[in-house]
Amino acid sequence: MRYLRVSQESAVIMAFAGKSVFGTVGLCFALLAGPVSAEGFAALSPADQAAAMHRGVNVLEDDPVQKNPSAARFQPRLFARIREAGFDTVRLDMHPFAHLRDGAIDGAWLSMLDRMINASLDAGLTVILDVHDDLSCQESAADCRTKLRAVWSVLAPRYRSAPNRLLFEILNEPHGVLDAATWNGMLREMLTSIRATNPARNVVIGPTDYDGLWELGTLDLPASDRHIVVTVHTYTPVTFTLQGARWVPSAKDLSNVSWGSDAEMAALVKAFDRVKTWSDVHQRPVFLGEFGVYEKAPMDSRVRWLSSVARVAEAHGIPWCYWQFDTDFAVYDIPHDRWIAPVLKALVP
C-alpha cells in the first residue's frame, strides 16, 4: 500500500465508472534454519487454506524493525491479542531487499523474521510472508527480478519445514515497470524457485496494477500449479478512502467525504461479483489482501465502508486482510495498548 494510489485511481475510474555480513556460515544457516514445528508441513488445498484464513490484518509495514531488527515497535505478544480479537490471519509485510548482501540476507534480520513467524504461528494464526518491496522494484524490472530471486532462494529453503499455515507471497502490488507481461514472466520464475523446496506450499500471487481486482484477467498462472491463492486489493473509491492522504494529490485536500449511498453499495457488490466469477471460472481461490480507509475520513462512513467491504467479501467466500494494524489506517493503538473500538467492531462484529 501507501505511495501508489495516484495511478490506481485512474484505473479504478476506468474499470468501475552481496556478501553476507554474517559470511558463508551465516548463509548456510539461512538455508537450513528457520521455525521448526512439531506440526510440520502437510499439503493443504488452496481452497481449504483460503477457508481457514477468514479474517486477517496486515502488520509490520511501517515498523522500525524493517531497518533495525532490535527496534521493533510491534512486539510478538501482540499476535496473541490479534487472535483473541477474532482474527485468523496476519500478513507480515516485510522488506528484505534492504538487507541483501551479494545474494544473502543479513542474519540479524532473518533472526527477527524467525521470531515474528514463530510467534504468529504459535498464536494459532495463518501467516502470509509478504515481500513488500514493490516500490524498490520501480527502479528496474531486471534489478527487481535479481533481488526477488535472491530473496526467495533464501526464504523458501529456510521455511520449507514450517507448517502449512505459513504461505509465501512473492511480491506485494506489482505495478509500473512490472506490467502484465513482465510480471507474468517473473512470477513463473519465482514459482519455479520456490517449488524446488516447497512443491506443495500455497503461494499468494496477485495481478499487476497494485494487485488491482480489475486486472485479474491479465494474470497468467501456470495451469499445472494448483497451490496458489490469488490476491487482490481495493481502496475504491480513493476520493473517500484516501481523503486527506498527503501522498495522493487528487485526495490530499479532501475532507468530510462520506460513503454509503445505494449506488456506492451496488458498485461494491458488483466489483466482488466480478471477482467471484473470475474465481469460479478459473478455479482459483481469491484473497482480499488489503483494504482500508485513512483515518482522516469521517468515522461513521469509515466504519460503514469497512464493515460493508468485509461483509460483502465474506458473502462471496473471499477471506480478507485489513490494512493495517497500527500507525495510519490503524485498528490498534500500540502506545496505549488497546484496540480502536469502532474500527475493530466494523471488522469483527
Side-chain angles (χ1 to χ4, degrees):
M1 204 275 166
R2 293 184 73 87
Y3 310 95
L4 50 80
R5 297 298 162 193
V6 178
S7 60
Q8 184 189 22
E9 183 177 15
S10 61
V12 170
I13 292 172
M14 288 187 290
F16 295 130
K19 286 188 179 179
S20 169
V21 296
F22 51 98
T24 303
V25 174
L27 177 57
C28 291
F29 175 80
L31 294 175
L32 298 175
V36 178
S37 168
E39 180 182 342
F41 180 82
L44 187 65
S45 76
D48 288 343
Q49 187 100 67
M53 288 158 67
H54 201 199
R55 299 170 177 171
V57 63
N58 284 266
V59 299
L60 298 177
E61 158 62 7
D62 293 319
D63 200 285
V65 76
Q66 299 288 354
K67 295 181 179 179
N68 180 359
S70 66
R73 180 176 61 245
F74 182 100
Q75 297 301 312
R77 66 175 180 83
L78 291 171
F79 288 119
R81 294 292 303 273
I82 289 170
R83 187 72 181 93
E84 291 164 1
F87 295 97
D88 308 282
T89 300
V90 288
R91 182 170 177 252
L92 305 183
D93 305 308
M94 308 307 298
H95 292 271
F97 281 14
H99 304 277
L100 277 171
R101 300 292 184 273
D102 293 341
I105 301 178
D106 174 68
W109 191 89
L110 284 171
S111 294
M112 175 277 296
L113 183 58
D114 287 348
R115 291 193 298 274
M116 293 296 181
I117 290 176
N118 277 318
S120 50
L121 290 172
D122 288 346
L125 294 160
T126 294
V127 183
I128 300 167
L129 176 51
D130 160 50
V131 175
H132 213 80
D133 278 313
D134 54 294
L135 294 183
S136 296
C137 282
Q138 293 310 296
E139 299 171 8
S140 161
D143 184 58
C144 178
R145 177 182 283 105
T146 298
K147 289 178 178 178
L148 269 183
R149 188 188 304 121
V151 164
W152 286 114
S153 71
V154 173
L155 297 184
R158 186 179 187 84
Y159 300 115
R160 66 190 301 172
S161 299
N164 58 23
R165 288 183 292 113
L166 178 66
L167 294 81
F168 298 157
E169 183 170 352
I170 292 175
L171 179 67
N172 172 68
E173 295 189 337
H175 65 277
V177 299
L178 302 185
D179 58 18
T182 303
W183 174 235
N184 284 329
M186 193 180 296
L187 71 85
R188 285 169 175 261
E189 180 180 344
M190 300 311 143
L191 267 177
T192 298
S193 175
I194 290 169
R195 293 305 181 213
T197 53
N198 292 260
R201 186 175 302 279
N202 286 315
V203 176
V204 177
I205 306 174
T208 189
D209 204 7
Y210 305 100
D211 290 333
L213 54 86
W214 52 88
E215 290 290 331
L216 278 171
T218 70
L219 190 59
D220 182 20
L221 301 172
S224 61
D225 193 330
R226 306 314 298 179
H227 284 286
I228 293 172
V229 175
V230 173
T231 188
V232 294
H233 295 177
T234 186
Y235 293 87
T236 305
V238 295
T239 51
F240 166 69
T241 62
L242 300 181
Q243 60 184 288
R246 66 188 182 282
W247 63 92
V248 184
S250 62
K252 66 183 179 66
D253 296 323
L254 297 176
S255 62
N256 295 316
V257 179
S258 62
W259 184 92
S261 70
D262 290 345
E264 289 168 328
M265 179 60 74
L268 174 64
V269 173
K270 185 177 182 180
F272 277 92
D273 286 345
R274 294 177 182 177
V275 174
K276 183 64 165 61
T277 296
W278 185 94
S279 176
D280 291 344
V281 168
H282 294 271
Q283 292 296 291
R284 302 276 193 186
V286 175
F287 164 64
L288 178 60
E290 286 186 22
F291 70 107
V293 184
Y294 193 51
E295 59 267 22
K296 291 191 177 181
M299 181 59 84
D300 58 342
S301 285
R302 187 181 178 196
V303 165
R304 189 179 304 115
W305 189 89
L306 293 175
S307 178
S308 297
V309 172
R311 303 296 84 77
V312 170
E314 290 167 359
H316 286 76
I318 297 172
W320 52 259
C321 203
Y322 174 68
W323 184 272
Q324 63 179 330
F325 185 73
D326 74 310
T327 66
D328 51 13
F329 297 79
V331 67
Y332 198 86
D333 180 352
I334 284 184
H336 296 94
D337 201 20
R338 65 190 181 193
W339 293 99
I340 298 172
V343 178
L344 178 62
K345 187 175 180 180
L347 297 169
V348 186

